[in-house]
Amino acid sequence: EVQLVESGGGLVQAGGSLRISCAASGFTFDDYTIGWFRQAPGKEREGVSCITSSDASTYYADFVKGRFTISSDVAKNTVYLQMNSLEPEDTAVYYCAAVYGSWYAPLEVSYDYWGQGTQVTVSS
């Protein structure tokens, strides 16, 4: 059974940092692209970052480049998103998702598996 569990969200002040985690189980982790998405109230869900361990590729949305870093630990079946210089606009529920394979535009494909989300709140 495929399962994705996010953790590490919380409340931080603007300019602060958080690292959120996505623990995966039930599938061959290295064969999948793992992505982070977020959704704020009143906004559509948007892709943040993703990683495919098989080809060591990463991808970032423009609005987080230079601030966020995605990484993976295959041995632990875990993907991390290090978020620095957080802004109030980053406030959202952050979701981890998985899709098989690697993709040219990995934040635009349909992901098959989703976690429950973790809340990140950045105070003004």
Side-chain angles (χ1 to χ4, degrees):
E1 179 180 348
V2 173
Q3 188 173 29
L4 300 169
V5 180
E6 302 94 334
S7 62
L11 174 64
V12 298
Q13 295 186 119
S17 298
L18 281 175
R19 189 182 74 162
I20 55 176
S21 302
C22 172
S25 62
F27 61 96
T28 304
F29 183 85
D30 198 43
D31 292 339
Y32 283 72
T33 294
I34 309 297
W36 286 102
F37 298 78
R38 69 186 189 185
Q39 188 167 27
K43 297 182 179 180
E44 295 184 358
R45 186 164 58 198
E46 58 187 356
V48 177
S49 182
C50 61
I51 186 168
T52 304
S53 297
S54 61
D55 60 7
S57 62
T58 60
Y59 189 91
Y60 297 93
D62 287 342
F63 56 83
V64 302
K65 286 182 178 178
R67 299 191 297 123
F68 292 9
T69 303
I70 192 169
S71 62
S72 65
D73 186 335
V74 175
K76 295 182 179 180
N77 281 359
T78 301
V79 171
Y80 306 94
L81 186 67
Q82 177 68 46
M83 302 182 290
N84 299 326
S85 301
L86 284 162
E87 305 166 354
E89 292 75 18
D90 296 316
T91 295
V93 176
Y94 283 71
Y95 297 92
C96 177
V99 62
Y100 182 81
S102 61
W103 304 86
Y104 176 71
L107 289 175
E108 299 178 9
V109 303
S110 296
Y111 281 67
D112 297 314
Y113 307 106
W114 293 82
Q116 84 291 342
T118 186
Q119 177 71 47
V120 173
T121 303
V122 184
S123 62
S124 301

